[in-house]
Amino acid sequence: MNITDAITMNESPQVRLSYILDDIETLDRYADRVIKVKAKVKQLFDALDQLPISEKPASIEGIYNLYDFRMELLTLGVPIHEVYKFDIKPEPELNVTIVATHKVMKIIYKHDEQAHRLNTMLETYRALRNDLIKDLTCFIDDLKKLTPNDIKRYHLSNQQFLDIKNISEQLAKDFK
């Protein structure tokens, strides 16, 4: 259950704060996963960066498909057994084609896949964080609207209410 459900069900402030704390814990676990993916992206980038010069990928201007690339190499006199050692990856937005051995191309594709995954996860993290901030702000606004009768109805002492309010406000500061 999320904070929106708690609001619509008219849950007590204690319960709503509990949901917010659960959401924070979930966000923290997700942040840990983002950090692991970021480390993997860096590891793959470093692996590409540390390749010997003879194995580093190259880029050629223009967009080629594999057949045209191989035909071009054959017309330049490259032996056929050498032609089949290479793979290509067209990059239309840059108007280049990356050329590398099959082994290096696997690393490039894995890096690109992990980088895309990282970007998606970062977008998701930001969205979850923004939702949490909105929920927290709404919760604090709702706390300000509580009357003494509401506090009694939720079986809260004044100190418990103040504690909930202070914790919520501190969390809001931490997330700004």
Side-chain angles (χ1 to χ4, degrees):
M1 179 180 297
N2 62 30
I3 192 71
T4 307
D5 296 333
I7 292 168
T8 57
M9 293 176 59
N10 199 20
E11 293 285 351
S12 70
Q14 310 93 296
V15 172
R16 288 179 61 190
L17 180 59
S18 167
Y19 293 144
I20 288 172
L21 293 172
D22 287 346
D23 288 347
I24 291 170
E25 184 180 331
T26 301
L27 189 64
D28 284 346
R29 282 195 312 268
Y30 194 78
D32 291 342
R33 290 177 51 208
V34 170
I35 290 168
K36 288 177 185 174
V37 172
K38 187 175 183 178
K40 182 68 175 173
V41 169
K42 184 178 178 348
Q43 176 188 13
L44 290 166
F45 180 81
D46 290 346
L48 288 169
D49 195 43
Q50 294 171 3
L51 288 171
I53 291 175
S54 62
E55 292 182 32
K56 285 196 184 261
S59 64
I60 53 176
E61 199 163 317
I63 304 301
Y64 289 86
N65 62 41
L66 190 56
Y67 176 79
D68 291 341
F69 172 73
R70 287 179 175 163
M71 288 299 116
E72 185 79 23
L73 288 178
L74 289 171
T75 59
L76 293 172
V78 176
I80 196 161
H81 68 279
E82 292 293 322
V83 168
Y84 285 100
K85 288 183 181 179
F86 295 99
D87 202 354
I88 66 168
K89 181 179 185 268
E91 294 286 351
E93 60 276 353
L94 301 173
N95 195 32
V96 297
T97 301
I98 297 173
V99 179
T101 63
H102 296 294
K103 177 182 119 185
V104 173
M105 197 57 75
K106 278 177 82 174
I107 296 171
I108 291 170
Y109 277 111
K110 191 175 271 187
H111 172 271
D112 289 356
E113 175 187 310
Q114 290 298 314
H116 176 72
R117 181 176 178 212
L118 175 62
N119 289 335
T120 302
M121 290 178 79
L122 285 171
E123 287 175 24
T124 302
Y125 177 82
R126 285 185 201 110
L128 290 171
R129 192 173 191 283
N130 288 338
D131 287 349
L132 178 62
I133 290 169
K134 286 177 190 173
D135 290 345
L136 200 47
T137 303
C138 181
F139 177 57
I140 291 169
D141 289 344
D142 289 347
L143 284 176
K144 290 175 183 175
K145 296 174 189 173
L146 288 180
T147 65
N149 286 339
D150 293 329
I151 294 171
K152 287 180 187 173
R153 183 171 51 122
Y154 292 125
H155 308 289
L156 291 172
S157 69
N158 285 339
Q159 186 58 48
Q160 289 172 319
F161 172 74
L162 288 175
D163 289 346
I164 290 171
K165 185 175 178 227
N166 291 337
I167 290 168
S168 301
E169 289 172 350
Q170 184 60 47
L171 289 172
K173 286 178 189 174
D174 292 347
F175 276 93
K176 292 219 173 182

